[in-house]
Amino acid sequence: KDLIEKGFGGTIDVTSGSSGSTFFFEIPYEIRSEMEMNETQRPVRRSHIGETRIQTALSDDSEPESPPKLPNVQQTIAVDVVIVDDSALNRNMLGKIVGMFGLSYRTFENGREAVDQLTGVGDEFLKCRIVLMDKEMPVMDGFAATEALRESQTFRGHIVGVTGNVMESQIREFMSHGVEEVLAKPVKKADIENVLVRYGLLTDSAIP
């Protein structure tokens, strides 16, 4: 604006509409013919108004485009053992036993949480070798969680039931839903050790 008004002695104005804004300005300037320049060597000042219109590319109320959102990248995490139990005491106890053998583990308080992570629902896909599955839990119990994992196209681990209901009929029922064996609560270190050896996470020489 200062360049037009002060530098050239002109004026500038703007009009706005739905399609955008139009800026226009007026600048006085001189026209000299070649003959006049040759004869007088002095410019003859004439008043002439020139108008230039500039159409803005965006309307006044338009907003800059936001950058495209990047797709979520799923993170794959591998652990040795997943512990699923609604009792924090049992989760801690089983985790300590597994940790004593130098193995990694992850715990969940219900079957729904475990199934979502072990089948890759969401931003994280959890892979494991063995699942220690409690039977009675809120949200999703051990029966439903085991069936969901067996029906999944992504889960390839072993599932071991862990329950206080250890009558022969109860064990058979748990196994009918897809667990490979059942451990009785309270679980002992030797029970976990045998499972880890049986499914290849430990060798006899590696037992502390």
Side-chain angles (χ1 to χ4, degrees), residues 161-179:
V162 181
T163 179
N165 303 321
V166 291
M167 293 178 60
E168 185 176 348
S169 60
Q170 294 171 324
I171 292 175
R172 285 200 304 267
E173 182 182 20
F174 208 167
M175 295 184 69
S176 71
H177 288 275
V179 301

Side-chain angles (χ1 to χ4, degrees), residues 31-50:
I31 300 178
R32 294 183 293 176
S33 68
E34 185 176 352
M35 181 179 297
E36 289 172 331
M37 289 293 294
N38 292 335
E39 289 179 353
T40 64
Q41 296 297 312
R42 291 184 179 179
V44 177
R45 184 176 182 84
R46 298 182 181 179
S47 178
H48 187 84
I49 301 300

Side-chain angles (χ1 to χ4, degrees), residues 5 42 51 67 74 91 93 131 160 199:
E5 294 180 347
R42 291 184 179 179
E51 181 180 290
Q74 190 178 64
R91 292 196 303 272
M93 181 267 295
V131 177
V160 176
Y199 296 115

Side-chain angles (χ1 to χ4, degrees), residues 70-81:
L70 297 176
N72 291 332
V73 178
Q74 190 178 64
Q75 183 180 15
T76 300
I77 299 175
V79 296
D80 297 310
V81 180

Side-chain angles (χ1 to χ4, degrees), residues 114-125:
V115 169
D116 285 349
Q117 297 296 303
L118 290 167
T119 57
V121 176
D123 296 336
E124 185 176 283
F125 180 26

Side-chain angles (χ1 to χ4, degrees), residues 2-208:
D2 288 342
L3 178 63
I4 299 298
E5 294 180 347
K6 297 180 180 180
F8 294 97
T11 60
I12 186 169
D13 204 349
V14 61
T15 60
S16 300
S18 59
S19 61
S21 298
T22 300
F23 293 86
F24 61 91
F25 56 85
E26 297 179 350
I27 301 175
Y29 61 91
E30 301 172 351
I31 300 178
R32 294 183 293 176
S33 68
E34 185 176 352
M35 181 179 297
E36 289 172 331
M37 289 293 294
N38 292 335
E39 289 179 353
T40 64
Q41 296 297 312
R42 291 184 179 179
V44 177
R45 184 176 182 84
R46 298 182 181 179
S47 178
H48 187 84
I49 301 300
E51 181 180 290
T52 302
R53 295 181 178 271
I54 303 173
Q55 183 72 29
T56 57
L58 297 174
S59 62
D60 291 341
D61 56 352
S62 63
E63 296 181 358
E65 294 183 2
S66 58
K69 293 182 179 180
L70 297 176
N72 291 332
V73 178
Q74 190 178 64
Q75 183 180 15
T76 300
I77 299 175
V79 296
D80 297 310
V81 180
V82 165
I83 299 166
V84 190
D85 198 303
D86 62 328
S87 167
L89 181 64
N90 289 336
R91 292 196 303 272
N92 292 336
M93 181 267 295
L94 291 172
K96 286 182 179 179
I97 295 175
V98 171
M100 289 174 63
F101 297 103
L103 301 176
S104 59
Y105 64 92
R106 180 76 70 89
T107 65
F108 298 98
E109 63 182 19
N110 64 69
R112 178 76 274 165
E113 293 180 355
V115 169
D116 285 349
Q117 297 296 303
L118 290 167
T119 57
V121 176
D123 296 336
E124 185 176 283
F125 180 26
L126 187 64
K127 292 184 176 182
C128 76
R129 299 281 298 279
I130 298 175
V131 177
L132 300 178
M133 182 74 73
D134 186 23
K135 175 179 175 291
E136 297 178 353
M137 294 179 289
V139 185
M140 178 183 282
D141 64 14
F143 288 172
T146 300
E147 290 180 347
L149 291 176
R150 292 303 184 203
E151 293 171 0
S152 167
Q153 300 296 315
T154 56
F155 178 76
R156 296 291 183 271
H158 301 282
I159 305 177
V160 176
V162 181
T163 179
N165 303 321
V166 291
M167 293 178 60
E168 185 176 348
S169 60
Q170 294 171 324
I171 292 175
R172 285 200 304 267
E173 182 182 20
F174 208 167
M175 295 184 69
S176 71
H177 288 275
V179 301
E180 293 159 66
E181 61 181 283
V182 176
L183 301 181
K185 291 181 178 181
V187 180
K188 301 178 178 62
K189 178 185 175 183
D191 298 330
I192 299 296
E193 179 182 307
N194 291 335
V195 166
L196 297 176
V197 171
R198 189 156 38 250
Y199 296 115
L201 270 72
L202 278 185
T203 61
D204 292 334
S205 59
I207 297 174

